[in-house]
Amino acid sequence: MSLETHEVRILETAEEVWELLCGRRVLHVKGFGSGFGDVPKEQMSAQGQQDEAAVKAIKRFRPDYLVVDGDPWGSGFQRYIKAYAEAQVRGGLAVPELVWVKSIKGSSPTPEEREKNYKKACEWAGQGLAVSVSWLAEATISAGVDRLFGAGCWEKLQGQKFDFRGAVRLLEAAEPDRPEWLRGLRRTAPGREMYLAIETVESRSENRYFEKCSFENVAKGNSIYQHLRGEGREPAVQGAVSFGGGESVLLEFATLYLFPGSGFDAGQAALFPFSRGRPSDPTLPSHEGRAFISEVQSRAELQNSLDLVLQGLRHHSTLNLICSPWCGAGASEAQKAAAQLAATIQESNTDINKSVYTFNPNQELCHLTLDPKERPEEWIQMWLKVLALCKECNAKGGDSKVYVLRHARRGVSNYSQLAQLDEATKLGFTEKKGNLHFLTYSDDVVKQRISTY
């Protein structure tokens, strides 16, 4: 059996996109735009292994729809999509439709833009894929550049060639003046790897700093993520995978898919550090969220990651712990308010110079291959392992505390928090002793100003 040829359809409005994707499994696929080229014999094995790994990863996600961000058909990550589609056909399984999101100057395409981009979308359809085209206004990209990289950043980039480097320098600003995602990136193990990769780009002797087009592409990727989500009509699951890629992939994962404060579930993201065997290919950190790995591998990855986290926490003289509602993908306003409060508590009650650290599970365990909503007992057990370290600190003369976040009306009501609070009390953390503190949040406002305890 072979792939059939399909007509390209145009989705003129965002509402049509939301209607199409609502309640479905959606996977945004990225990577190098070109492949190995004429593959030398010594690289054929590497290409074959990458092909196999890519097809397996997409299969494990089980997408209903695939998304690409206006890339033309090529020999890079595009080949993995076709290989996956062909494997589906051979297995007698459905082939997901592809949503091709293209940026345009205005809110709707000019006749020239429509004709040009329709032809590009037809190249994808010519590979046997059902293709729907959606338009993304460039204004969302310019606003995204300023939001992600600082006010006035878009203006700095104007007039520069697409490959100009140094107009925006991420790490030269003082820590408080850096973008929120950059300040929070080092709170997780994958984030720390991303940060080191960014440091490498901004300190190397050749091709130093990021290209102009990288900032634009990152803003476009962030905008597409939001473009696919209508209020009350979001996809059931929204994932992202990149098979290799350049500097823009590094920044897109750093600002969105692996940034703890973005609200994106890192378990639905995967970054495969594929290479084309070229010296210019960047070295990307590896990350495979739970949606892309087997159950056995998931549990092994979970234990290894948790062991690394616990090992790092043992170095602190005082270790505080936050008990907070989970805030992942699709979080409510109340959960987002709780996450904001938790982040503030962590910042206010951490002093590395005094070996005092406040652990925020929402941010520092979010990279693990575990969904607290699906496996609450395992999430509680991880939290309790950190609590045991807090108790150890106090036994050695530390002053560890537990901060419990409660809703203004409902109080502490979810199963995980109630179990955590019960165990903390059993280990001697109480209000009377001054090592258990309750802080209140509501659906839209944090009710209590945070002070350092």
Side-chain angles (χ1 to χ4, degrees), residues 316-317 350-357:
H316 302 294
S317 299
T350 293
D351 189 339
I352 297 301
N353 292 330
K354 295 181 180 179
S355 194
V356 176
Y357 189 73

Side-chain angles (χ1 to χ4, degrees), residues 225 229 238-240 253 256-270 326-330 366:
Y225 170 71
R229 303 174 64 81
Q238 196 168 354
F253 272 74
L256 178 57
Y257 306 124
L258 296 182
F259 167 46
S262 70
F264 189 91
D265 181 357
Q268 307 299 332
W326 173 248
C327 182
C366 67

